[in-house]
Amino acid sequence: MRATTHKSIRDLLRQRAQVVAVGITIMLGVTLYVGSASAFQNLTVSYAYTYDRLSLADLTSTGGDGDAIAAAALAAGAEEAIARIQVDPPVLIDDTKLVGRVVGLPTNAHPTVNDVEVLTGSYFDPGATGQVLLERHAAETFGLGVGDTVEVFAGGSWHSLTVQGTVGSAEYVWPSRSRQEILADSRSFAILYVPEEAAEDWLGAPNQSAVLLPADASPALEDQVTRAMRAAGAVDVTTQEDQPSNAALHEDLKGFDEISVTLPLLFLSAASVAAYVMLSRRILQERPVIGTLMASGARRGRILRHYLAQGIAIGLIGSVVGTVAGGFLNGAITRAYTSAIGIPDTLVSNHPSILITGMSFGFVVGALGALAPALKASRTAPAEAMRSSSPLHGPGPWGRLVARLGRLPVTTRMALRDIGRSRRRTIATMIGTTLSLIIVLASVGLMTSMTKMLDVQFAEVQREDATVMVDATQSGFPQSLDDLADVTAVEPIVAGPVTAIANGRSYVTSVTGFDLGTAMHGFRTSGGRPIDLPADGVLAGVETASLLDVETGDTIVLATASGEISVTLAGFVDEPFGTLVYGSRSLIAPVLPDTGVDTYLVSFADGVDRDALRQTITQMPGIVSYADSQALVASATAYLGLFWAFVGVFIVLGVILAFALVYVTMAVSVVERTNELATLRAAGVPTRRVAWTIATENLAATALGLPFGLVLGVITAAALNSSFSSDLFRLDLVLGWWPLPAAALGVLVAAALSQWPAARAVRRIDVARIVRERAI
Amino acid sequence: MSTTTTAVAQRGISLKGLTKTFGQGSAAVEALKGVDLDIEPGELVVILGPSGSGKTTLINIIGGIESASSGEVTVAGENLGGRNPADLSGFRRDHVGFVFQFFNLIPTLTARENVEVIVELTGKGDKAAIPGLLDEVGLSDRGENFPSQLSGGEQQRVSLARALATAPDILLADEPTGALDLATGRQILQLLQRLNKEGRTIVIVTHNASIAQIANRVVTVVDGRIDSVKRNAKPADAAKVMW
Ligand SMILES: Nc1ncnc2c1ncn2[C@@H]1O[C@H](COP(=O)(O)OP(=O)(O)OP(=O)(O)O)[C@@H](O)[C@H]1O
Ligand SMILES: [Mg+2]
């Protein structure tokens, strides 16, 4: 081994603790990157695999004549196209009434588009009519299996069907009824695959077509097929991207995508700063040695490489460990996610490009951190060798200013001036503080915003406790609901799917008509200010503005299976979940088809037994379905489960980062001033007090970083939140009063705790050795 | 004689059979090989010897920043035998002041503050006495200057004032003129001599034989042992020393 290599290794060993701190920061950054980027990749690949295996439609039309549209799609270049019926009729499973979904399937063979995978039992017997394939979510929720029966209300009567098998479907990986209803009471939705002859017999002709494009389809072909389908009468054509389950899952993943890059980058830049501080300090200390080497003719390039190599070595070690750890994290995240959500296929692999990127992150970070110090070292003048100690710098304007603060204790003045003395170190400490606060506040911001979002949705916007659907021919409603002791209010509504159209654009959503002055729904504008439901005209979710390119006062068309109306857009509402349309019941009712069902929103007295009430209401004659709003909160929590776990991890990592950085700068400040500190120790100053003077300075530098960190943290939190937002759910930054002071305090505490090793370093100063080294 | 011994034990320095070994086994270096020495209160002693003879080790042990391997060390009435230097900061702050070859002033503090910070951090000495101390070392008008604005001699005088700030019984100086030219070095020696005349016990370590002329007693150390102890009947005036 060369002498310089020996030196590098010994140097790194001598600064062990700092090297470890820098290495850990790099490692965390790389681990996070590799773990989350690979998990994201895996999930994307897993979905694609499932979709491919079960032939998930590329395009789905609603409205019009399904058969004609399918034929038009094939003629326009589609690879496969099927027509099918899909209707949401009342369904009875055990004693639970709900609005289910009936989808017609051929009995003689699996469909060529939107296939199902039989999990238990078997596919339909050819020509069967009384059989049903139950989608796995409903099978799990209600504990049903082969041989059990369910009933469907269609064509004015109940039909009993026997479960032939339970199935999985690419359309319902996440069971959402529509894009507007990502979250649902699991006991209020069930997908039933029914033999198509029977379904069409009860419910009418195919109203959907599902289309598969060739594998290598160009956007132009997709466009051509879409236009052909519209021309053939399709009211709306939904792409696979916008398919409700797929969109919900991708929405959920979007966070991963953002976080897998942003967060590691924060860590890696922090690591770079730490490496920079550490190596700068050593080079400052070794200046006389470097000067001597230069004086005896050492090459600049050699010196440059010597120090650069040390930074790169730390970076590479950190990234190798980080990549390995990231590989494990990847598997853990992927499996946790797929099992939490219930994704049929889990493909875990480590993607070479991600591993290579992770490794090169470490290399780049190490090299970047070392570059400036190494350049400085290579430019050391040989004359530096002649100076026995680094030259004294004047106090500067800041030092002079502080000198005038004669009333303060000298130790305080010293701490204040030291902030200006080693600007590099102060700035590094400030950057560390800032980065930690960014990570912590961004995560806490996501958490508080998410909590607030759920609160807004389920306390301010949706104020009902349950939604009850009743057979329209049943008399006595809604009075019989109102008569229940625990029910405090009942209001009729009308609701149904609708296509909103304006400026040649369309958006498939839901429309709900309330009584004017409803107590069941809070309409709020972007600022959270309440507005009233207009007597004429409609309110629409704020995303509508960009989706349809409309503003308040414009006219939009609401189209349904039974007709369309032109209405004035009276204003926008800001609601966390979905982008919906609201109007008065008298305005909306005429455009919705008659389903033979009346819908009521119900609110309960405080503290009722919700299960008992569900039981009571669903057993009333004429009740078609019942959905509890509280169950939606549970669904939301499940959907966001992984998100919570991640937020927790980020907060912890942010604090670790604060520790690592403050520790490095602290250790460096002890080493840089060993001589002064040794002198103080020789004069009999207690270790505690010496350590305290250093701590004061570092805490002051940390405190200086706080304002930057708080401001940038809030900005980052807002950016991260908006990256999660879409027409499916809106996440506005709501921090509340406590996170800012708490985060600031947390970082200060982390800084204060990392004084402990610094105090140990002060205690370990070998006064005699330093005195002797200096007195050569 | 017995009265003197008591006084030495009370305020002076008493070393008996002092040894110091660095390292272990084959790497062991015997820096001190059995030193017996009494320094009486009010004495100015110069410890002279070639490089590597053990002078610094000796003065460091007296000052409590290094521990002895064996032997008895009593300084200002405190027995330092077997005590860990890390636990001796109380002893140092009560009894000794150090002056080193390099001044090690805190660059962000003015001359006056460099003295003041010691009073503040040790809780010993009197802030009100600081102007007097600066006056004594001849820096009454430079107190508000930062180290970067002072010459080497002036900086060494600040470090002298700093060493005196805790009103120590004993002043220990390791090569105090090592980094200075003849004229400034002489000024420092004059100061030390005057402080001694005012009653302070002073031990100076040097390899410069000329400096020895100002001492009451000259202790020569060679290879870890005391080679000779010479008493100067008439110490020279520091202002006239040449080297
Ligand atoms: N920490 C140590 N480990 C090993 N040996 C040491 C250590 N400190 C000092 N020594 C050795 O002890 C001996 C005495 O050292 P000391 O510093 O006391 O000498 P000195 O007389 O002050 O020399 P100089 O005039 O050069 O300052 C030397 O041989 C030195 O190498
Ligand atoms: Mg020496």
Side-chain angles (χ1 to χ4, degrees), chain A residues 771-772 775-776, chain B residues 51-52 54-57 59 101 174-175 205 207:
Chain A
V771 165
R772 193 177 273 107
I776 343 153
Chain B
S51 183
K55 308 180 295 293
T56 297
T57 309
I59 203 172
Q101 177 178 5
D174 192 351
E175 304 280 9
V205 157
H207 58 265

Side-chain angles (χ1 to χ4, degrees), chain B residues 212-225:
Chain B
Q213 298 165 32
I214 68 165
N216 303 129
R217 259 198 310 163
V218 181
V219 178
T220 311
V221 181
V222 176
D223 195 21
R225 289 198 175 85

